[in-house]
PDB file of all heavy atoms in Angstrom:
ATOM      1  N   VAL A   5      57.202-124.652 226.027  1.00 45.00           N
ATOM      2  CA  VAL A   5      56.781-123.429 225.401  1.00 45.00           C
ATOM      3  C   VAL A   5      57.316-123.323 224.043  1.00 45.00           C
ATOM      4  O   VAL A   5      58.336-122.766 223.729  1.00 45.00           O
ATOM      5  CB  VAL A   5      57.320-122.234 226.221  1.00 45.00           C
ATOM      6  CG1 VAL A   5      56.795-120.883 225.766  1.00 45.00           C
ATOM      7  CG2 VAL A   5      57.001-122.465 227.722  1.00 45.00           C
ATOM      8  N   THR A   6      56.565-124.050 223.100  1.00 51.00           N
ATOM      9  CA  THR A   6      57.092-124.031 221.664  1.00 51.00           C
ATOM     10  C   THR A   6      56.998-122.651 221.029  1.00 51.00           C
ATOM     11  O   THR A   6      57.739-122.348 220.154  1.00 51.00           O
ATOM     12  CB  THR A   6      56.248-124.990 220.793  1.00 51.00           C
ATOM     13  OG1 THR A   6      54.867-124.557 220.970  1.00 51.00           O
ATOM     14  CG2 THR A   6      56.448-126.446 221.352  1.00 51.00           C
ATOM     15  N   ALA A   7      55.976-121.851 221.566  1.00 54.00           N
ATOM     16  CA  ALA A   7      55.809-120.505 220.912  1.00 54.00           C
ATOM     17  C   ALA A   7      57.043-119.645 221.046  1.00 54.00           C
ATOM     18  O   ALA A   7      57.475-119.002 220.208  1.00 54.00           O
ATOM     19  CB  ALA A   7      54.660-119.815 221.604  1.00 54.00           C
ATOM     20  N   SER A   8      57.707-119.659 222.291  1.00 58.00           N
ATOM     21  CA  SER A   8      58.807-118.743 222.536  1.00 58.00           C
ATOM     22  C   SER A   8      60.014-119.187 221.750  1.00 58.00           C
ATOM     23  O   SER A   8      60.771-118.417 221.333  1.00 58.00           O
ATOM     24  CB  SER A   8      59.106-118.727 224.028  1.00 58.00           C
ATOM     25  OG  SER A   8      59.503-120.004 224.408  1.00 58.00           O
ATOM     26  N   ARG A   9      60.150-120.464 221.492  1.00 63.00           N
ATOM     27  CA  ARG A   9      61.242-120.928 220.602  1.00 63.00           C
ATOM     28  C   ARG A   9      61.055-120.388 219.278  1.00 63.00           C
ATOM     29  O   ARG A   9      62.029-120.007 218.590  1.00 63.00           O
ATOM     30  CB  ARG A   9      61.336-122.471 220.645  1.00 63.00           C
ATOM     31  CG  ARG A   9      61.922-123.068 221.998  1.00 63.00           C
ATOM     32  CD  ARG A   9      61.955-124.572 222.017  1.00 63.00           C
ATOM     33  NE  ARG A   9      62.776-124.968 220.947  1.00 63.00           N
ATOM     34  CZ  ARG A   9      64.073-125.314 221.192  1.00 63.00           C
ATOM     35  NH1 ARG A   9      64.601-125.096 222.265  1.00 63.00           N
ATOM     36  NH2 ARG A   9      64.767-125.807 220.109  1.00 63.00           N
ATOM     37  N   MET A  10      59.922-120.536 218.739  1.00 54.00           N
ATOM     38  CA  MET A  10      59.616-119.974 217.446  1.00 54.00           C
ATOM     39  C   MET A  10      59.775-118.491 217.244  1.00 54.00           C
ATOM     40  O   MET A  10      60.226-118.057 216.308  1.00 54.00           O
ATOM     41  CB  MET A  10      58.226-120.438 216.903  1.00 54.00           C
ATOM     42  CG  MET A  10      57.961-121.975 216.800  1.00 54.00           C
ATOM     43  SD  MET A  10      56.328-122.210 216.334  1.00 54.00           S
ATOM     44  CE  MET A  10      56.284-124.079 216.224  1.00 54.00           C
ATOM     45  N   LEU A  11      59.344-117.827 218.298  1.00 69.00           N
ATOM     46  CA  LEU A  11      59.509-116.335 218.320  1.00 69.00           C
ATOM     47  C   LEU A  11      60.804-115.921 218.587  1.00 69.00           C
ATOM     48  O   LEU A  11      61.265-114.729 218.470  1.00 69.00           O
ATOM     49  CB  LEU A  11      58.605-115.788 219.349  1.00 69.00           C
ATOM     50  CG  LEU A  11      57.115-115.939 219.140  1.00 69.00           C
ATOM     51  CD1 LEU A  11      56.263-115.346 220.272  1.00 69.00           C
ATOM     52  CD2 LEU A  11      56.614-115.443 217.834  1.00 69.00           C
ATOM     53  N   SER A  12      61.785-116.815 219.073  1.00 88.00           N
ATOM     54  CA  SER A  12      63.023-116.481 219.318  1.00 88.00           C
ATOM     55  C   SER A  12      63.897-115.866 218.281  1.00 88.00           C
ATOM     56  O   SER A  12      63.677-116.297 217.120  1.00 88.00           O
ATOM     57  CB  SER A  12      63.869-117.700 220.012  1.00 88.00           C
ATOM     58  OG  SER A  12      65.238-117.549 220.082  1.00 88.00           O
ATOM     59  N   SER A  13      64.807-114.988 218.632  1.00 97.00           N
ATOM     60  CA  SER A  13      65.703-114.448 217.557  1.00 97.00           C
ATOM     61  C   SER A  13      66.548-115.570 216.952  1.00 97.00           C
ATOM     62  O   SER A  13      67.251-115.388 215.810  1.00 97.00           O
ATOM     63  CB  SER A  13      66.581-113.354 218.144  1.00 97.00           C
ATOM     64  OG  SER A  13      67.339-113.916 219.193  1.00 97.00           O
ATOM     65  N   VAL A  14      66.659-116.703 217.647  1.00 97.00           N
ATOM     66  CA  VAL A  14      67.438-117.776 217.208  1.00 97.00           C
ATOM     67  C   VAL A  14      66.649-118.752 216.228  1.00 97.00           C
ATOM     68  O   VAL A  14      67.225-119.418 215.404  1.00 97.00           O
ATOM     69  CB  VAL A  14      67.984-118.673 218.374  1.00 97.00           C
ATOM     70  CG1 VAL A  14      68.729-119.870 217.927  1.00 97.00           C
ATOM     71  CG2 VAL A  14      68.787-117.728 219.370  1.00 97.00           C
ATOM     72  N   GLY A  15      65.320-118.563 216.247  1.00 96.00           N
ATOM     73  CA  GLY A  15      64.419-119.385 215.354  1.00 96.00           C
ATOM     74  C   GLY A  15      64.208-118.715 214.016  1.00 96.00           C
ATOM     75  O   GLY A  15      65.051-117.900 213.502  1.00 96.00           O
ATOM     76  N   SER A  16      63.162-119.224 213.385  1.00 96.00           N
ATOM     77  CA  SER A  16      62.895-118.829 211.934  1.00 96.00           C
ATOM     78  C   SER A  16      62.593-117.377 211.758  1.00 96.00           C
ATOM     79  O   SER A  16      62.618-116.861 210.651  1.00 96.00           O
ATOM     80  CB  SER A  16      61.779-119.755 211.409  1.00 96.00           C
ATOM     81  OG  SER A  16      60.615-119.693 212.192  1.00 96.00           O
ATOM     82  N   THR A  17      61.975-116.749 212.833  1.00 96.00           N
ATOM     83  CA  THR A  17      61.764-115.273 212.723  1.00 96.00           C
ATOM     84  C   THR A  17      63.052-114.485 212.891  1.00 96.00           C
ATOM     85  O   THR A  17      62.970-113.341 212.645  1.00 96.00           O
ATOM     86  CB  THR A  17      60.742-114.887 213.796  1.00 96.00           C
ATOM     87  OG1 THR A  17      61.306-115.026 215.076  1.00 96.00           O
ATOM     88  CG2 THR A  17      59.422-115.737 213.663  1.00 96.00           C
ATOM     89  N   GLY A  18      64.113-115.140 213.228  1.00 97.00           N
ATOM     90  CA  GLY A  18      65.423-114.387 213.442  1.00 97.00           C
ATOM     91  C   GLY A  18      66.418-114.849 212.525  1.00 97.00           C
ATOM     92  O   GLY A  18      66.250-114.812 211.209  1.00 97.00           O
ATOM     93  N   ILE A  19      67.467-115.581 213.033  1.00 98.00           N
ATOM     94  CA  ILE A  19      68.580-116.082 212.173  1.00 98.00           C
ATOM     95  C   ILE A  19      68.509-117.419 211.738  1.00 98.00           C
ATOM     96  O   ILE A  19      69.371-117.961 211.070  1.00 98.00           O
ATOM     97  CB  ILE A  19      69.915-115.847 212.988  1.00 98.00           C
ATOM     98  CG1 ILE A  19      70.120-116.869 214.163  1.00 98.00           C
ATOM     99  CG2 ILE A  19      70.143-114.418 213.475  1.00 98.00           C
ATOM    100  CD1 ILE A  19      71.436-116.834 214.799  1.00 98.00           C
ATOM    101  N   ASP A  20      67.409-118.101 212.169  1.00 98.00           N
ATOM    102  CA  ASP A  20      67.143-119.495 211.641  1.00 98.00           C
ATOM    103  C   ASP A  20      68.144-120.549 212.041  1.00 98.00           C
ATOM    104  O   ASP A  20      68.601-121.337 211.301  1.00 98.00           O
ATOM    105  CB  ASP A  20      66.879-119.475 210.186  1.00 98.00           C
ATOM    106  CG  ASP A  20      66.081-120.678 209.698  1.00 98.00           C
ATOM    107  OD1 ASP A  20      65.344-121.314 210.613  1.00 98.00           O
ATOM    108  OD2 ASP A  20      66.030-120.933 208.471  1.00 98.00           O
ATOM    109  N   ALA A  21      68.739-120.406 213.220  1.00 98.00           N
ATOM    110  CA  ALA A  21      69.771-121.317 213.739  1.00 98.00           C
ATOM    111  C   ALA A  21      69.146-122.562 214.390  1.00 98.00           C
ATOM    112  O   ALA A  21      69.885-123.599 214.362  1.00 98.00           O
ATOM    113  CB  ALA A  21      70.704-120.636 214.779  1.00 98.00           C
ATOM    114  N   LEU A  22      67.926-122.533 214.800  1.00 97.00           N
ATOM    115  CA  LEU A  22      67.402-123.622 215.475  1.00 97.00           C
ATOM    116  C   LEU A  22      67.242-124.858 214.572  1.00 97.00           C
ATOM    117  O   LEU A  22      67.316-125.980 214.914  1.00 97.00           O
ATOM    118  CB  LEU A  22      65.929-123.273 216.015  1.00 97.00           C
ATOM    119  CG  LEU A  22      65.900-122.500 217.282  1.00 97.00           C
ATOM    120  CD1 LEU A  22      64.439-122.168 217.726  1.00 97.00           C
ATOM    121  CD2 LEU A  22      66.719-123.094 218.485  1.00 97.00           C
ATOM    122  N   LYS A  23      67.103-124.587 213.324  1.00 97.00           N
ATOM    123  CA  LYS A  23      67.013-125.585 212.186  1.00 97.00           C
ATOM    124  C   LYS A  23      68.390-126.454 212.382  1.00 97.00           C
ATOM    125  O   LYS A  23      68.406-127.693 212.134  1.00 97.00           O
ATOM    126  CB  LYS A  23      66.824-125.021 210.937  1.00 97.00           C
ATOM    127  CG  LYS A  23      66.652-126.044 209.730  1.00 97.00           C
ATOM    128  CD  LYS A  23      66.482-125.272 208.397  1.00 97.00           C
ATOM    129  CE  LYS A  23      65.218-124.396 208.454  1.00 97.00           C
ATOM    130  NZ  LYS A  23      65.114-123.857 207.049  1.00 97.00           N
ATOM    131  N   LEU A  24      69.429-125.686 212.534  1.00 98.00           N
ATOM    132  CA  LEU A  24      70.753-126.449 212.536  1.00 98.00           C
ATOM    133  C   LEU A  24      70.907-127.298 213.817  1.00 98.00           C
ATOM    134  O   LEU A  24      71.754-128.136 213.809  1.00 98.00           O
ATOM    135  CB  LEU A  24      71.887-125.416 212.406  1.00 98.00           C
ATOM    136  CG  LEU A  24      71.909-124.689 211.092  1.00 98.00           C
ATOM    137  CD1 LEU A  24      72.996-123.545 211.150  1.00 98.00           C
ATOM    138  CD2 LEU A  24      72.124-125.598 209.918  1.00 98.00           C
ATOM    139  N   HIS A  25      70.250-126.987 214.918  1.00 98.00           N
ATOM    140  CA  HIS A  25      70.245-127.726 216.109  1.00 98.00           C
ATOM    141  C   HIS A  25      69.743-129.156 215.846  1.00 98.00           C
ATOM    142  O   HIS A  25      70.109-130.042 216.648  1.00 98.00           O
ATOM    143  CB  HIS A  25      69.631-127.032 217.276  1.00 98.00           C
ATOM    144  CG  HIS A  25      70.144-125.759 217.686  1.00 98.00           C
ATOM    145  ND1 HIS A  25      69.729-125.084 218.786  1.00 98.00           N
ATOM    146  CD2 HIS A  25      71.197-125.079 217.245  1.00 98.00           C
ATOM    147  CE1 HIS A  25      70.475-124.007 218.972  1.00 98.00           C
ATOM    148  NE2 HIS A  25      71.471-123.937 218.057  1.00 98.00           N
ATOM    149  N   SER A  26      68.794-129.311 214.992  1.00 96.00           N
ATOM    150  CA  SER A  26      68.026-130.482 214.772  1.00 96.00           C
ATOM    151  C   SER A  26      68.665-131.430 213.694  1.00 96.00           C
ATOM    152  O   SER A  26      69.549-130.972 213.018  1.00 96.00           O
ATOM    153  CB  SER A  26      66.618-130.200 214.531  1.00 96.00           C
ATOM    154  OG  SER A  26      65.998-129.280 215.320  1.00 96.00           O
ATOM    155  N   GLU A  27      68.199-132.671 213.679  1.00 96.00           N
ATOM    156  CA  GLU A  27      68.512-133.549 212.625  1.00 96.00           C
ATOM    157  C   GLU A  27      68.050-133.018 211.275  1.00 96.00           C
ATOM    158  O   GLU A  27      67.011-132.275 211.134  1.00 96.00           O
ATOM    159  CB  GLU A  27      67.904-134.928 212.809  1.00 96.00           C
ATOM    160  CG  GLU A  27      68.498-135.626 214.118  1.00 96.00           C
ATOM    161  CD  GLU A  27      69.902-135.918 213.959  1.00 96.00           C
ATOM    162  OE1 GLU A  27      70.478-135.992 212.989  1.00 96.00           O
ATOM    163  OE2 GLU A  27      70.550-136.224 215.103  1.00 96.00           O
ATOM    164  N   PRO A  28      68.799-133.181 210.158  1.00 97.00           N
ATOM    165  CA  PRO A  28      69.988-134.024 209.976  1.00 97.00           C
ATOM    166  C   PRO A  28      71.311-133.256 210.412  1.00 97.00           C
ATOM    167  O   PRO A  28      72.335-133.866 210.232  1.00 97.00           O
ATOM    168  CB  PRO A  28      69.970-134.476 208.555  1.00 97.00           C
ATOM    169  CG  PRO A  28      69.485-133.238 207.863  1.00 97.00           C
ATOM    170  CD  PRO A  28      68.406-132.725 208.914  1.00 97.00           C
ATOM    171  N   TYR A  29      71.221-132.002 210.763  1.00 98.00           N
ATOM    172  CA  TYR A  29      72.416-131.192 210.908  1.00 98.00           C
ATOM    173  C   TYR A  29      73.144-131.427 212.339  1.00 98.00           C
ATOM    174  O   TYR A  29      74.248-131.591 212.309  1.00 98.00           O
ATOM    175  CB  TYR A  29      72.104-129.646 210.671  1.00 98.00           C
ATOM    176  CG  TYR A  29      71.225-129.475 209.523  1.00 98.00           C
ATOM    177  CD1 TYR A  29      69.898-129.230 209.672  1.00 98.00           C
ATOM    178  CD2 TYR A  29      71.792-129.530 208.224  1.00 98.00           C
ATOM    179  CE1 TYR A  29      69.051-129.066 208.517  1.00 98.00           C
ATOM    180  CE2 TYR A  29      70.917-129.373 207.111  1.00 98.00           C
ATOM    181  CZ  TYR A  29      69.592-129.065 207.206  1.00 98.00           C
ATOM    182  OH  TYR A  29      68.819-128.871 206.140  1.00 98.00           O
ATOM    183  N   ASN A  30      72.296-131.354 213.342  1.00 98.00           N
ATOM    184  CA  ASN A  30      72.795-131.732 214.623  1.00 98.00           C
ATOM    185  C   ASN A  30      73.970-130.908 214.984  1.00 98.00           C
ATOM    186  O   ASN A  30      75.011-131.338 215.529  1.00 98.00           O
ATOM    187  CB  ASN A  30      73.167-133.172 214.661  1.00 98.00           C
ATOM    188  CG  ASN A  30      73.326-133.692 216.211  1.00 98.00           C
ATOM    189  OD1 ASN A  30      72.637-133.061 217.107  1.00 98.00           O
ATOM    190  ND2 ASN A  30      74.017-134.760 216.407  1.00 98.00           N
ATOM    191  N   LEU A  31      73.906-129.534 214.849  1.00 98.00           N
ATOM    192  CA  LEU A  31      74.999-128.526 215.089  1.00 98.00           C
ATOM    193  C   LEU A  31      74.664-127.708 216.313  1.00 98.00           C
ATOM    194  O   LEU A  31      73.617-126.984 216.244  1.00 98.00           O
ATOM    195  CB  LEU A  31      75.303-127.770 213.882  1.00 98.00           C
ATOM    196  CG  LEU A  31      75.862-128.521 212.656  1.00 98.00           C
ATOM    197  CD1 LEU A  31      75.814-127.520 211.464  1.00 98.00           C
ATOM    198  CD2 LEU A  31      77.178-129.149 212.876  1.00 98.00           C
ATOM    199  N   ILE A  32      75.426-127.785 217.413  1.00 98.00           N
ATOM    200  CA  ILE A  32      75.176-126.970 218.536  1.00 98.00           C
ATOM    201  C   ILE A  32      76.521-126.262 219.082  1.00 98.00           C
ATOM    202  O   ILE A  32      76.558-125.686 220.102  1.00 98.00           O
ATOM    203  CB  ILE A  32      74.536-127.742 219.734  1.00 98.00           C
ATOM    204  CG1 ILE A  32      75.302-128.847 220.150  1.00 98.00           C
ATOM    205  CG2 ILE A  32      73.154-128.085 219.406  1.00 98.00           C
ATOM    206  CD1 ILE A  32      74.909-129.550 221.456  1.00 98.00           C
ATOM    207  N   GLY A  33      77.631-126.458 218.293  1.00 98.00           N
ATOM    208  CA  GLY A  33      78.771-125.802 218.616  1.00 98.00           C
ATOM    209  C   GLY A  33      79.686-126.659 219.509  1.00 98.00           C
ATOM    210  O   GLY A  33      80.626-126.206 220.197  1.00 98.00           O
TER     211      GLY A  33
END
């Protein structure tokens, strides 16, 4: 369900944290 991830408050419509989960940042805490 790629749509729900994009719509998530964690994604680009919200705080844009999902970008940090991915390369090259690879940050998940």
Side-chain angles (χ1 to χ4, degrees):
V5 188
T6 57
S8 67
R9 287 176 64 88
M10 291 179 182
L11 297 176
S12 165
S13 59
V14 180
S16 58
T17 63
I19 67 170
D20 206 15
L22 288 180
K23 186 183 298 182
L24 295 174
H25 292 185
S26 306
E27 297 293 343
Y29 313 105
N30 196 25
L31 297 172
I32 59 171

